[in-house]
Amino acid sequence: MPTLQGSTRTAFLLFFISHIPITLLVDGQAFLPRRFYPQVLIDVVDWYANTFKDKLMTHPVLPWFSSIVALEVVFQLPFFFVAVRALLQHDGSTHSDNNVVSGSGLFRSFCIIYASSTATTLVPILGCILSDDDTTMTEKGVLLGFYLPYLVFPLWLAVIAVSEK
């Protein structure tokens, strides 16, 4: 996709690179058995959930949220690697023979699928945060600060992908 150039390309590259360890080390704890994680990582997630009053990451995790994280681990995580590879290989030329990022290959389709799925799963997550009576507006704002990039970037990617010819 020719629009994934310059600072836009860099922003998405950083987003996907950072999302890989976050998915594996943090989010994955809401889906995978905690025995797969070293105690220090369990402690970090527990500290985060308690400090920022993130009920979604508090154990035991609600089944509906765990199923959303399962989608992230099983389907989105492999896409993150594909996206990083595609964005690293893309030379920025609009006449590139690289169909992965040219807008005519599978990468464009994968971007649309990823973006649609992720944006959809963020709706109940954000609804849960906003409707929590036990958190103040400031606490909700902080949690939104953590979660909103995972809505904004996929929506931005969807707009780019569907607007390309």
Side-chain angles (χ1 to χ4, degrees):
M1 294 177 301
T3 310
L4 283 175
Q5 296 180 23
S7 59
T8 300
R9 180 181 158 275
T10 302
F12 276 101
L13 190 56
L14 292 173
F15 174 76
F16 289 124
I17 287 172
S18 69
H19 210 330
I20 292 168
I22 291 169
T23 297
L24 288 170
L25 304 175
V26 178
D27 296 353
Q29 291 187 47
F31 165 61
L32 299 169
R34 291 185 110 187
R35 69 179 179 273
F36 292 165
Y37 293 92
Q39 189 61 47
V40 67
L41 289 177
I42 293 170
D43 292 344
V44 166
V45 170
D46 288 345
W47 170 85
Y48 159 79
N50 291 325
T51 301
F52 297 104
K53 297 186 180 176
D54 187 343
K55 289 184 179 178
L56 297 174
M57 290 299 292
T58 302
H59 281 265
V61 176
L62 297 168
W64 70 266
F65 183 68
S66 185
S67 64
I68 286 176
V69 175
L71 289 172
E72 179 183 353
V73 170
V74 174
F75 295 109
Q76 293 176 17
L77 182 60
F79 172 73
F80 301 153
F81 288 97
V82 170
V84 167
R85 182 173 182 264
L87 293 168
L88 284 174
Q89 287 182 338
H90 185 52
D91 64 6
S93 123
T94 56
H95 299 352
S96 174
D97 290 333
N98 180 0
N99 278 343
V100 176
V101 194
S102 70
S104 61
L106 281 176
F107 185 63
R108 179 175 181 255
S109 297
F110 289 158
C111 287
I112 294 168
I113 293 166
Y114 160 75
S116 302
S117 170
T118 303
T120 301
T121 62
L122 261 294
V123 172
I125 290 170
L126 296 176
C128 187
I129 291 168
L130 291 172
S131 65
D132 185 357
D133 292 333
D134 295 330
T135 56
T136 66
M137 288 306 290
T138 301
E139 291 164 339
K140 289 178 193 339
V142 170
L143 286 173
L144 289 175
F146 288 124
Y147 282 93
L148 276 177
Y150 302 103
L151 175 64
V152 171
F153 272 89
L155 287 178
W156 184 14
L157 187 61
V159 168
I160 291 169
V162 298
S163 65
E164 293 298 322
K165 293 184 183 190

